[in-house]
Amino acid sequence: MTLAQTVAHPLRIPLLRGHGFLIVAIIYAGLAVSVIYPLLAVFVQAFSEGAGLSIEKIQEVFTTPNIIEAVFNTLIISVLTVVMAGTIGVMLAWLVARSNMPLKRILDPLNMVPFYLSSVVGALSWQVIAAPRAGLLNSLFAPFFDTPPFNVYSVGGIALVLGLFYTPYVYLFTLGSLQSMDASLEDSARMSGASKLQTAIRITLPLSAPAILSACILVFVTAAGIFGVPLVLGVPGSVHTLSTLIYRAINEYPADFATAAILSSALFLFTAIFTVVQIMILRGRRFTTVTGKGYRPRQVDLGRWRWPAVGVNTLYLLFVIGPFIALLLVSFQDAWTGAFDWARLTLANYHKVIFVDAIAKRGLINSLFISTIGATIAVAVCMLLALVVHRTRLPGREGLSHLAMVPVTVPGIVLGLGFLIALITTPIYGTLWIIMIAYIVHYLPTGLRNSESLVQSVSRELDESARMSGATWRGAMWRIVVPLVAPGMVSMWLLLFVTYIREVSSSMMLFTFGTETISIALIQIMEYEPYGVSGAFGVLQTVLVLACVAFIRQVSSPRQSNA
Amino acid sequence: MHDARRTIPDASSQGVDVSNRSVAVKVERLVMSFGTVHAVGGIGFDVVPGSTVTLLGPSGCGKTTTLRCIAGLEMPTAGRITVGGHVVFDGENGIFIEPERRNIGMVFQSYAIWPHMTVGGNVGFPLAISGVPKRQAEERTRAVLDLVGLGELQGRSAADLSGGQQQRVALARALVHEPRVVLFDEPLSNLDANLRERMRTELQLLQSRLGFTAIFVTHDQEEALSLSDHIVIMNKGLIEQTGTPQDIFKNPETAFTARFLGYSNVFPGRLAAIGDAGSVAVDLGEGRRLSARWRSRSPPRQGADCTIAFRADRVALMPANDPAGGNAFPGVVETVAFLGTCFDYTITSGAVQVQAEGPVDHPVARGQAVSVAIAPEHCHAFAAED
């Protein structure tokens, strides 16, 4: 089909408007420069240590003991994260979608909260409660053990935090699949003599398997490429992952670009392969699952397990939100003694991060600047791409959306390294713009998916009738399509804003003195300030993010029905 | 069998050479390919100003694609389209006029009412776009809304209109800038049966009052028969037959047309004899033989395979072995269904199952042996389908 479509009839060529062709060419060039060039820069660097092409350096890197150890750590962390996020996510999704668990309406949005929170702040809050010496839990249990029982500075600690924070991905995918499933598929299994459990195992699970599997792969590759949490929780205990080693290679003196590039290439290949598998699974899903219509899926009566189910869900939330509450308490204390003390209540920490600490102030202002301008540019770019792809007949338009999806396979730290290598000699290096560009490119797939589904939600006949009424293409887009998707564009902007505010990986590769972002500032403050100060800064970031999320929900809740 | 090009004469001027008269829409050798698939395979027809032409056919026959090519919403692969004397598409000379510059109104299947505007905003949009002064635009909007009976809704939000109201708003919007030609893509298919009939009448009234040229697309033969001056029957991207509704209904030229127009008895047979003036004898096997009229353009050949078609309401059920039967063969009544205005019968005759209708006051019992009789002028014979 696509092949056939690209074979243009010879007659069409004189019909092409010259500028249409030019526009597509310009977009291709722009995407190639911003998406492909940084990746190429990493590959070239990886193979060109010294003069000419060489693989000796690659051999050397992968025989270094601590690198081998880091590869293993990365794999173990990813596997543990998937197991944890997969188990909890599927279980909670099933409870919310298919059981009569009480309080669902409250629990469902709460289960999504970690999706929006910064996992670095999460790691910080876990430090507060489970650091070997000062952790809240360790001081609580100290009387019963000789040595502190909890140590969050470990492979297990990293996986625990990642697992908690990536549970919503599995939850969301599974929930969607379970909720959209045609109830008659399950009903007919029951009518064929299958029990509830047999139906769940032989019908429901296989039907949602593609969704679950693809969510798990997504979590797997994201965990493998993640940088912030291993940096906060791994480095203090000398637990390294591929991403922290890439960072260390760049920050050594002299910087070892070759090692960083080789490790990045390996990491990229790993994530790219799994992401392609994931995309293929999702593509196949269209045929296997679920018609839109049909009845609402039946709900399983949990009987006396109804309230224990609420307990399980609450326990998950407690693991995520509990540490944040601990962090909140710590941020209001002038010194942390292991328990909240009214006598030590203070706002000094907040005063310090808002008015005194230069890095904190810079981080906040820089991030607000980057995120506001960046999200605006990204929304404009993604909407334009979506309109060109779905609302024109320009040749080669489908290729544009494929090209723009490439960054989905690239971990942030790899992309950051790419921009670093590609732009370090240009004047743009050392400015906020290089970080902004990296953000826009890194989350281009997020934005494009969003804007494509917005544009596709508007029936073509709505803008075609504008054309028939005398409007030009631009007029039809501007007066019909854009106003109809405007609420969606607002939530898309906020989603990107929140995403940019939390970003750690590529910022860490690209910041210089003066261009620290809010997450960089937090990580730096954690190094030299007590928990109270970094806690206050973490709380500030979290409040900012949650306010945006609340606003997103507000904007997108009354859905435009006709569009 | 598939003529690439037909001319549709105006109903009021049959026999007059139309090539000298102005033509509202002229489609020539139109080809629309999606990759290797020909959605439209090189068709042509003319539409006389002020007339209504319907493109009729099953889904996937290329009728909507043809309409969208006229509108300018699709880029045809080849051919030429002329609207009101202006060439709007010419594949050979690289001419493609954008849809907004063709001055064509269009009513979409979904009506495509913009939910973020008022009713007046929707209808007045074409005027606003073309820069008509605001006061004047409002007056014209009001006038056309009055015309479709929605004058009082001008300021209402367009988001919560009923199906019938949406249809009228879409129609008003298509008419407000007084286009030469108005295109209708299945305009009635989303309405319920009662409303559909009323809108059909209103459309005809509006058209006779405003005098625009209308091109309809529908898969509903009843709609096509009742609305059109001329019908273009399409099948697999080609034109099967064109003509006035009566002409097409009475004299289908292909078995496809017959079947599509509700001829429920279509059987394969063999040409046993060729008579004068298009009369033929068709052998249906096992001794059944019917006289019929030859309808295909190609001449009949003795002994060749053919297809015979007749309508259920043209079948007369006579007592078995009635010598008055004439053009008939024997059978047994298999099923009887009472439909209110008539009886519906299935008669089995060897391998052939005939659908028949009978008057309510002379029921025929199940199991009865009958003679199935059809007047030769109601039996249509065609060259065998591929």
Side-chain angles (χ1 to χ4, degrees), chain B residues 118-203:
Chain B
T118 61
V119 168
N122 268 274
V123 175
F125 185 84
L127 301 177
I129 285 285
S130 58
V132 174
K134 212 174 168 197
R135 170 84 60 81
Q136 202 188 332
E138 252 169 48
E139 275 168 25
R140 282 172 68 182
T141 302
R142 173 76 193 195
V144 74
L145 274 171
D146 282 337
L147 204 61
V148 298
L150 290 180
E152 72 282 8
L153 294 186
Q154 191 160 3
R156 178 113 66 91
S157 158
D160 36 42
L161 295 175
S162 72
Q165 287 170 331
Q166 286 188 36
Q167 221 263 355
R168 284 157 206 255
V169 172
L171 184 61
R173 184 177 61 195
L175 295 176
V176 72
H177 61 314
E178 290 162 12
R180 306 173 276 217
V181 177
V182 183
L183 310 178
F184 296 86
D185 185 7
E186 307 250 3
L188 304 175
S189 62
N190 283 339
L191 303 178
D192 63 51
N194 287 332
L195 199 54
R196 201 180 308 162
E197 221 153 287
R198 223 172 68 210
M199 285 309 299
R200 207 188 282 160
T201 320
E202 282 185 29
L203 270 175

Side-chain angles (χ1 to χ4, degrees), chain A residues 386-429:
Chain A
L387 289 176
V388 166
V389 171
H390 294 283
R391 289 299 208 263
T392 69
R393 286 185 298 259
L394 295 174
R397 61 189 183 280
E398 282 102 353
L400 286 175
S401 72
H402 295 314
L403 187 53
M405 289 308 275
V406 166
V408 87
T409 62
V410 189
I413 191 150
V414 177
L415 197 73
L417 179 68
F419 275 104
L420 183 66
I421 295 172
L423 298 176
I424 195 161
T425 54
T426 66
I428 203 177
Y429 176 72

Side-chain angles (χ1 to χ4, degrees), chain A residues 121 124 128 324 326-333 346-354 360 364 518 522 525-526 529-544:
Chain A
V121 182
L124 170 63
V128 170
F324 271 87
L327 190 70
L328 187 67
L329 296 179
V330 169
S331 72
F332 285 108
Q333 298 274 281
T346 176
L347 286 171
N349 296 328
Y350 286 92
H351 181 261
K352 183 160 191 186
V353 293
I354 297 173
L364 194 62
I518 194 166
L522 179 63
I525 290 170
M526 281 160 69
E529 292 282 3
Y531 282 147
V533 179
S534 48
F537 201 55
V539 168
L540 217 58
Q541 186 185 357
T542 306
V543 168
L544 181 65

